[in-house]
Amino acid sequence: MALAFDEFGRPFIIIKEQEQKTRLRGIEAQKANISAGKAVARILRTSLGPKGMDKILQSPDADVTITNDGATILEQMDVDNQIAKLMVELSRSQDYEIGDGTTGVVVMAGALLEQAEWLLERGIHPIRIAEGYEMASRIAVEHLERIARTFDFGPTNIEPLVQTCMTTLSSKIVNRCKRLFAEISVKAVLSVADLERKDVNLDLIKVEGKVGGKLEDTELIYGITVDKDMSHPQMPKQIEDAKIAILTCPFEPPKPKTKHKVEIDTVEKFQTLRLQEQKYFDDMVQKCKDVGATLVICQWGFDDEANHLLMHHNLPAVRWVGGVELELIAIATGGRIVPRFQELTPEKLGRAGLVREKSFGTTKDKMLYIEHCANSRAVTIFIRGGNKMVIEETKRSIHDALCVARNLIRNNSIVYGGGSAEISCSIAVEAAADKYPGVEQYAIRAFADALDSVPMALAENSGLQPIETLSAVKSQQIKDNNPYFGIDCNDVGTNDMREQNVFETLIGKQQQILLATQVVKMILKIDDVISPSDY
Amino acid sequence: MAIEKILKDDASEEKGERARMASFVGAIAITDLVKTTLGPKGMDKILQSTGRGREVTVTNDGATILKSLHIDNPAAKVLIDISKVQDDEVGDGTTSVVVLAGELLREAEKLVAAKIHPMTIISGYRMAAECARNALLQRVVDNKENEEKFKADLMKIAMTTLSSKILSQDKEHFAQLAVDAVLRLKGSTNLEAIQIIKKPGGSLKDSFLDEGFILDKKIGLGQPKRIENAKILVANTAMDTDKVKIYGARVRVDSMSKVAEIEGAEKEKMREKVQKIIAHGINCFVNRQLIYNFPEELFADAGILAIEHADFDGIERLALVTGGEIASTFDNPESVKLGHCKLIEEIMIGEDKLIHFSGVEMGQACTIVLRGASHHVLDEAERSLHDALCVLSQTVNDTRILLGGGWPEMVMAKEVDELARKTPGKKSHAIEAFSRALVAIPTIIADNAGLDSADLVAQLRAEHHQEGCNAGIDVISGSVGDMAELGISESFKVKQAVLLSATEAAEMILRVDEIITCAPRKREDRM
């Protein structure tokens, strides 16, 4: 395969070899990989920060997603290149681990690759670069710990948490009512948090959305909502002090797993069978009634007859409730999931203060609210919004905010945002570089430059002069020896991130640097790409 | 040529200006499409479906038009979505919301061309939307206390809504129908209790409101055609041979006589069931499922009116209005709640026989029978009436109303203009643009009516400089008129929803700077 360069210095392919497999080797392979990584980073670069732009993604089935969440963009991008896939993985692992900063990590990795390319051209061996990056990342992470602040919060003082969530939300479409959403997220997390163990099970927070209404109508429900209605239209729509039987068996005659046949050959048998069948239904309903249940929630469907019997016995029921929701209901109401009618006992019933059906708008949309549960550790965030895409995007934003709040509960250290942490690290790494003898010094210095690219992108997206702004902030940081100066994205008038209340979590930032470095190291170590040619 | 291909073969990627242009163009194209249907003199569209039969729909309902379009442009999809949501939430204003969002984008396009950052435009739009909403809030009229006036308000709103539809010829008649129907609901928004039956034939004027309930079914043969003081059992049960529900059971016989025996047993079982049903002391039995000939005959013998195969909605509604419950088992006749009504009779509308239940227990229910020349007319009439009913039922809950005919837009535009003058910075351009987009709506209404929009809107603007002005566009006389006198009103809730969701959608599209399209999924060629 032969390469040439166009007027912008970008290589392009002239002749395709008539081989079975295309193969790239040595420096060429590294360059191709780097440029692929950079291309991915370039796509995300404009989404960074409070003034970042959104992307429209059209799926193979022509569904539209509008988002600026890095992980979502990459996931839906239908990437074909191997290295680009690595970047997608990178963003995904940041999403799993931290939940936020998925864009930042890719931009960071892209910048590292860019610097590496330059070093490669100077003839530095990729492994040396990788080692230099490794050292630099260690310095940066240690430095982050030094400049990190811890703050105290408690169930009464949630302000710092809210502020941090607001920083996360300010880059999303919901930033119009970020205060509201931040408060909702923090309250949701706190109500399910285990402050002793410093852990939060995010599975307990359900995020549910319904189109219509305004974003401001979004609410936090201390309980569960289920997108179902009562199985019989005439069952009561509101139940107070409900005792809930949570069943995973259908209201139908049992279906034994073993193969069997019931043969009917006489009239008597036919009649006994019929009687037995009726008894089944009666028994089932009676069992529920006997244990004192006032509401039956079932994973499966009911027969018409069972439905009427339930109605008749004044026992409201909900059918076809999904497994996940069933579990949440069980957790929230303190009930147990019962797989067989025989095992139904009063202790296994869940309790809720209020169960009500609520309808929306002009269509017949109904939802079931289960509130004031015995164990209020499961909550629901119920999102309203003008259209489907806003709701989807809001869900993603809320997820990010929830993750941030959780991270803070795990570790209450924060660093200041707006690029200030990166600039500060960059200064520290730069200073440390001079102490290393050997070629790694260059790699470490390059790492420092790469760190600058995040604030640079922030400034660029905010419509500021990137280089001018960055150098001004940097000199200010060195002069005042103060790591709190960052990019003033919102035109507030101060560079001091403490005043702007822009925080990010320490673990989020550390993870970003570590993950980006790791992936870049991996990409640098590849010196041969063999891929089957297209047909 | 890009260096490395990252995306799959057919996937495409558009960036920056091009992406923005693609979404502007798409959104504006959609707006231009529905624009001509706005206002009392708006035109209709013919939609032909791609399905079998090439069915034709004639409508000027924005949501219906947009729903039937096959669109590939992502930004256009956002607009279609907001119109659908508007339809679900408030029922009316589906065209206005799209037009407003489109106009906002059209203005934004100019600002972007003038090198103003989309984020600045967005924050300007937000301020403007908030300000516009407050302006409306200050000018709302609330006649909740005064029942007479409120009823008149409802009448006005219904007439305003209907005036842009096919029913405009008989709008007073239909407005009366809609208001009566909604007032019967006594504040609930449950439109299910209002049933609309369409019967071709006659003219639109022959449509009427019936206080009872009409079921589009025939009475079984040999059964009474008229029952007074009916006791109705509403059921959902199989009236053919009951299936044996125990898993794995099957009949296995070895001789013909046994077959006959079992058949006899089955018949006996059915007879028992019918006896049980009759034992409820009813004289009318309505079932959701089929009733086979054998039980039907039994019912006829007992002098009971049996109606089979009423669809699920029909059953639910019937149970609701007669106050009965939907029964599936019949062992305890004493505890089953029966439905009641004063009179069941067979009536004729046009050529069809229908069953009419009058004097039902729940007075909320009613039926509107629509008559009209063709199916298309009837369908459109139903959509129009549905819009009116939705708006009215929402207004009953939120009684604040505004004047119509472009008046709210002018009020908002004036306030927003003032805000633009007070706001420093680039945002003021965006705020100004917002006000221009608002003014575009009266302009379009005037244009559609074939009036000189430039002249009229200028006149309106001048009028609105005085405090407490009620001026709007009077399409009938083609001049600026007093909307309060002309009795043109709109619901505040609808206007607010239009304003907010249009701004939200415009914002969303403006934020985009890149469109990534995945390779379309390969489908087998079905031809």
Side-chain angles (χ1 to χ4, degrees):
Chain A
M1 204 174 282
L3 271 150
F5 294 87
D6 65 4
E7 67 266 44
F8 303 113
R10 290 183 301 205
F12 60 90
I13 300 156
I14 301 172
I15 319 156
K16 201 169 192 177
E17 281 172 357
Q18 300 294 309
E19 282 179 353
Q20 277 302 304
K21 282 180 177 162
T22 52
R23 185 166 179 198
L24 286 175
R25 310 192 55 175
I27 196 92
E28 262 168 36
Q30 271 142 359
K31 286 216 172 138
N33 292 344
I34 287 173
S35 65
K38 266 162 56 187
V40 174
R42 213 166 33 231
I43 291 176
L44 288 192
R45 202 179 152 95
T46 53
S47 289
L48 196 74
K51 295 271 165 90
M53 303 296 277
D54 288 6
K55 313 271 176 248
I56 287 187
L57 299 155
Q58 209 164 14
S59 82
D61 297 321
D63 290 329
V64 174
T65 311
I66 300 184
T67 183
N68 76 358
D69 180 52
T72 317
I73 297 173
L74 290 179
E75 205 140 306
Q76 302 208 354
M77 232 170 53
D78 215 1
V79 168
D80 206 22
N81 183 291
Q82 313 84 352
I83 301 301
K85 275 187 187 152
L86 274 181
M87 301 291 267
V88 175
E89 284 291 321
L90 167 69
S91 150
R92 196 179 301 156
S93 54
Q94 174 83 6
D95 193 27
Y96 285 159
E97 193 61 32
I98 305 297
D100 187 30
T102 49
T103 314
V105 70
V106 175
V107 172
M108 175 86 210
L112 285 173
L113 287 172
E114 203 165 326
Q115 295 294 335
E117 190 178 19
W118 188 68
L119 292 176
L120 280 176
E121 259 166 35
R122 295 181 132 203
I124 298 178
H125 193 273
I127 298 292
R128 304 295 286 271
I129 303 176
E131 271 167 15
Y133 277 1
E134 179 69 41
M135 285 176 207
S137 72
R138 229 175 292 140
I139 300 168
V141 168
E142 275 165 23
H143 181 73
L144 276 179
E145 220 145 286
R146 259 200 308 283
I147 62 168
R149 285 287 119 91
T150 58
F151 59 55
D152 294 321
F153 59 87
T156 46
N157 175 22
I158 59 170
E159 192 53 32
L161 286 176
V162 174
Q163 293 287 2
T164 321
C165 285
M166 270 165 69
T167 308
T168 303
L169 290 174
S170 64
S171 64
K172 314 279 175 183
I173 195 162
V174 295
N175 60 4
R176 179 157 44 112
C177 27
K178 59 181 173 185
R179 175 88 214 176
L180 173 80
F181 279 92
E183 272 172 21
I184 287 179
S185 310
V186 171
K187 278 183 195 154
V189 168
L190 280 180
S191 62
V192 301
D194 189 343
L195 290 176
E196 299 278 292
R197 265 178 45 232
K198 291 200 168 186
D199 200 5
V200 185
N201 184 359
L202 284 186
D203 289 343
L204 294 177
I205 302 174
K206 198 171 149 213
V207 184
E208 187 81 41
K210 200 146 199 111
V211 282
K214 312 186 282 273
L215 277 179
E216 284 88 347
D217 295 338
T218 300
E219 53 181 346
L220 177 67
I221 297 161
Y222 290 95
I224 307 278
T225 59
V226 188
D227 201 352
K228 291 276 176 296
D229 52 359
M230 296 291 181
S231 64
H232 197 286
Q234 285 159 327
M235 286 176 177
K237 306 277 181 239
Q238 186 161 351
I239 307 156
E240 276 165 30
D241 287 325
K243 296 196 185 100
I244 307 169
I246 305 160
L247 299 170
T248 52
C249 47
F251 266 87
E252 272 161 21
K255 291 179 180 164
K257 303 256 181 334
T258 47
K259 260 207 158 139
H260 71 292
K261 269 185 208 144
V262 182
E263 303 215 331
I264 306 169
D265 49 5
T266 63
V267 176
E268 290 78 49
K269 278 192 189 163
F270 181 77
Q271 270 159 357
T272 38
L273 202 64
R274 194 163 63 96
L275 283 176
Q276 193 159 12
E277 182 189 296
Q278 274 176 350
K279 206 169 150 297
Y280 259 132
F281 285 118
D282 276 339
D283 279 356
M284 283 187 293
V285 176
Q286 202 53 45
K287 278 235 172 70
C288 297
K289 197 78 191 162
D290 282 346
V291 292
T294 54
L295 173 69
V296 178
I297 291 180
C298 186
Q299 196 176 6
W300 300 101
F302 314 148
D303 196 272
D304 286 339
E305 268 184 73
N307 203 357
H308 179 246
L309 275 174
L310 283 169
M311 152 84 192
H312 211 98
H313 283 92
N314 213 353
L315 202 60
V318 188
R319 58 181 154 182
W320 299 121
V321 178
V324 183
E325 281 156 350
L326 208 67
E327 251 172 57
L328 273 175
I329 293 173
I331 294 170
T333 60
R336 297 270 292 276
I337 296 175
V338 181
R340 247 179 274 261
F341 285 99
Q342 287 79 2
E343 287 164 20
L344 211 53
T345 55
E347 303 86 64
K348 286 182 181 168
L349 297 180
R351 269 155 222 281
L354 181 67
V355 178
R356 63 196 165 98
E357 208 180 83
K358 199 176 166 189
S359 55
F360 298 95
T362 60
T363 45
K364 290 191 280 178
D365 263 351
K366 281 178 190 150
M367 284 189 95
L368 207 63
Y369 282 51
I370 303 174
E371 289 170 298
H372 309 297
C373 303
N375 172 5
S376 66
R377 302 262 326 255
V379 295
T380 304
I381 297 174
F382 189 59
I383 300 171
R384 305 301 309 274
N387 59 52
K388 208 170 62 207
M389 294 130 202
V390 169
I391 293 212
E392 287 302 311
E393 177 66 359
T394 311
K395 271 188 188 171
R396 283 188 286 271
S397 314
I398 288 266
H399 168 255
D400 283 6
L402 289 175
C403 289
V404 167
R406 176 193 62 180
N407 293 339
L408 279 177
I409 287 175
R410 279 190 186 156
N411 181 350
N412 61 355
S413 310
I414 50 140
V415 290
Y416 287 89
S420 66
E422 281 87 354
I423 298 173
S424 168
C425 283
S426 156
I427 295 168
V429 172
E430 181 93 57
D434 297 339
K435 291 178 203 136
Y436 282 89
V439 190
E440 283 85 357
Q441 198 188 84
Y442 279 83
I444 296 174
R445 217 169 272 146
F447 192 91
D449 283 344
L451 278 170
D452 281 346
S453 73
V454 173
M456 194 103 89
L458 272 180
E460 217 174 298
N461 291 344
S462 312
L464 303 167
Q465 293 287 341
I467 298 176
E468 217 170 275
T469 320
L470 179 64
S471 44
V473 172
K474 209 168 188 178
S475 70
Q476 209 173 359
Q477 276 210 9
I478 295 176
K479 201 169 72 196
D480 296 359
N481 193 19
N482 177 345
Y484 309 132
F485 290 118
I487 308 288
D488 178 19
C489 297
N490 289 324
D491 233 6
V492 180
T494 168
N495 279 335
D496 195 335
M497 290 297 132
R498 279 178 303 182
E499 274 172 46
Q500 285 207 21
N501 283 327
V502 178
F503 311 117
E504 284 175 77
T505 55
L506 171 68
I507 31 178
K509 263 279 121 64
Q510 284 180 331
Q511 201 63 237
Q512 263 186 11
I513 292 179
L514 290 174
L515 282 175
T517 315
Q518 250 171 47
V519 168
V520 169
K521 263 170 68 190
M522 191 151 124
I523 295 175
L524 283 177
K525 278 187 178 167
I526 302 169
D527 79 335
D528 205 339
V529 179
I530 305 168
S531 51
S533 68
D534 301 330
Y535 310 107
Chain B
M1 159 112 198
I3 340 131
E4 272 295 316
K5 215 175 59 199
I6 339 170
L7 300 166
K8 284 210 179 112
D9 272 346
D10 290 334
S12 65
E13 184 190 353
E14 285 179 53
K15 287 192 159 191
E17 289 303 308
R18 284 194 56 189
R20 211 167 279 138
M21 204 164 74
S23 43
F24 283 147
V25 167
I28 290 171
I30 288 286
T31 314
D32 287 342
L33 183 77
V34 292
K35 201 161 106 174
T36 52
T37 65
L38 198 72
K41 294 276 165 89
M43 304 299 273
D44 288 6
K45 309 264 174 231
I46 285 190
L47 306 166
Q48 194 167 26
S49 83
T50 49
R52 231 176 3 162
R54 306 262 155 193
E55 231 173 276
V56 171
T57 316
V58 183
T59 183
N60 81 355
D61 180 46
T64 316
I65 299 173
L66 294 177
K67 234 183 283 178
S68 347
L69 292 178
H70 295 283
I71 296 280
D72 209 29
N73 186 298
K77 279 196 179 142
V78 176
L79 290 191
I80 293 178
D81 204 50
I82 54 167
S83 131
K84 215 159 50 192
V85 171
Q86 178 84 4
D87 193 26
D88 288 352
E89 227 10 55
V90 283
D92 194 26
T94 48
T95 313
S96 318
V97 70
V98 175
V99 171
L100 183 57
E103 290 303 327
L104 284 174
L105 287 172
R106 202 193 295 271
E107 292 296 333
E109 192 184 9
K110 288 180 207 155
L111 292 179
V112 171
K115 298 272 177 266
I116 294 180
H117 196 273
M119 287 297 168
T120 320
I121 304 177
I122 289 173
S123 61
Y125 275 8
R126 278 184 186 168
M127 283 171 67
E130 194 54 44
C131 159
R133 194 169 148 241
N134 289 337
L136 283 188
L137 271 175
Q138 278 167 13
R139 303 289 298 267
V140 290
V141 185
D142 194 344
N143 284 333
K144 196 166 32 179
E145 310 302 325
N146 188 336
E147 205 167 308
E148 273 302 301
K149 263 195 177 161
F150 181 55
K151 212 170 162 189
D153 279 349
L154 283 183
M155 207 45 206
K156 281 185 206 158
I157 291 177
M159 283 195 355
T160 312
T161 306
L162 290 173
S163 66
S164 63
K165 317 271 167 164
I166 199 168
L167 300 176
S168 62
Q169 292 302 320
D170 311 300
K171 62 181 174 191
E172 272 170 48
H173 181 61
F174 281 100
Q176 195 64 49
L177 279 186
V179 171
D180 282 350
V182 167
L183 284 181
R184 289 177 76 90
L185 292 177
K186 297 189 183 72
S188 91
T189 50
N190 186 4
L191 290 179
E192 271 173 73
I194 302 175
Q195 190 193 14
I196 299 178
I197 288 185
K198 298 172 281 185
K199 284 284 160 202
S203 74
L204 280 172
K205 251 209 173 72
D206 296 335
S207 308
F208 61 94
L209 178 81
D210 194 282
E211 305 199 341
F213 178 82
I214 294 180
L215 199 62
D216 196 356
K217 288 280 167 261
K218 288 200 180 63
I219 294 178
L221 211 63
Q223 291 165 347
K225 298 273 186 257
R226 182 187 163 89
I227 295 174
E228 279 178 37
N229 283 331
K231 293 194 205 91
I232 310 164
L233 179 65
V234 187
N236 174 17
T237 182
M239 290 303 280
D240 48 358
T241 44
D242 267 4
K243 277 196 308 262
V244 177
K245 283 169 194 156
I246 290 175
Y247 185 69
R250 62 174 204 170
V251 181
R252 191 188 177 119
V253 289
D254 43 16
S255 71
M256 280 305 284
S257 60
K258 289 248 175 82
V259 178
E261 268 172 40
I262 288 190
E263 217 179 293
E266 258 175 16
K267 228 171 182 168
E268 197 52 45
K269 184 178 155 193
M270 192 79 272
R271 192 188 301 277
E272 251 174 56
K273 190 162 178 180
V274 173
Q275 288 309 333
K276 272 188 209 155
I277 292 170
I278 294 172
H280 285 66
I282 54 166
N283 45 23
C284 175
F285 176 72
V286 186
N287 193 14
R288 194 192 130 201
Q289 298 174 26
L290 278 175
I291 304 178
Y292 270 39
N293 286 346
F294 176 62
E296 194 175 337
E297 189 191 317
L298 293 175
F299 282 123
D301 284 347
I304 288 175
L305 174 63
I307 302 163
E308 66 168 6
H309 220 235
D311 53 75
F312 199 77
D313 277 348
I315 279 286
E316 254 183 48
R317 216 178 268 149
L318 188 62
L320 188 75
V321 296
T322 59
E325 67 175 41
I326 302 174
S328 294
T329 56
F330 309 99
D331 291 325
N332 315 305
E334 61 285 343
S335 60
V336 171
K337 258 174 44 201
L338 296 178
H340 292 277
C341 78
K342 292 240 168 56
L343 179 69
I344 301 176
E345 59 181 345
E346 200 173 57
I347 54 166
M348 301 271 290
I349 297 178
E351 289 195 337
D352 292 317
K353 288 180 191 165
L354 303 166
I355 305 169
H356 181 229
F357 297 77
S358 55
V360 292
E361 281 200 348
M362 197 178 82
Q364 294 176 6
C366 60
T367 304
I368 295 174
V369 180
L370 287 178
R371 307 299 312 275
S374 73
H375 273 294
H376 302 143
V377 172
L378 284 176
D379 284 346
E380 177 65 359
E382 188 192 0
R383 275 190 293 273
S384 315
L385 201 57
H386 171 258
D387 280 7
L389 290 174
C390 288
V391 173
L392 289 179
S393 69
Q394 296 293 336
T395 316
V396 170
N397 283 348
D398 185 345
T399 52
R400 289 173 292 183
I401 63 157
L402 296 164
L403 296 176
W407 177 85
E409 282 81 12
M410 294 310 292
V411 169
M412 290 191 277
K414 187 185 157 211
E415 289 293 320
V416 171
D417 252 344
E418 232 140 73
L419 176 75
R421 257 174 257 151
K422 277 183 256 163
T423 314
K426 284 185 193 169
K427 273 183 221 160
S428 74
H429 291 287
I431 300 174
E432 224 179 302
F434 196 93
S435 122
R436 274 201 298 276
L438 284 170
V439 176
I441 291 194
T443 315
I444 293 169
I445 296 182
D447 275 340
N448 285 349
L451 304 173
D452 184 352
S453 61
D455 179 39
L456 273 179
V457 171
Q459 222 174 317
L460 259 187
R461 198 191 284 266
E463 292 268 345
H464 269 271
H465 247 282
Q466 298 155 17
E467 274 305 309
C469 157
N470 291 335
I473 295 180
D474 179 3
V475 176
I476 312 296
S477 70
S479 61
V480 170
D482 187 329
M483 290 296 119
E485 269 170 34
L486 288 168
I488 299 179
S489 300
E490 283 180 79
S491 151
F492 168 71
K493 199 166 171 192
V494 172
K495 268 280 151 321
Q496 173 182 285
V498 167
L499 181 70
L500 294 180
S501 31
T503 319
E504 214 165 78
E507 192 178 298
M508 195 152 196
I509 295 172
L510 268 177
R511 282 175 67 103
V512 170
D513 78 333
E514 184 154 346
I515 302 176
I516 300 166
T517 316
C518 292
R521 183 159 293 159
K522 296 266 181 335
R523 291 205 172 79
E524 297 294 309
D525 219 349
R526 284 198 215 108
M527 300 303 279

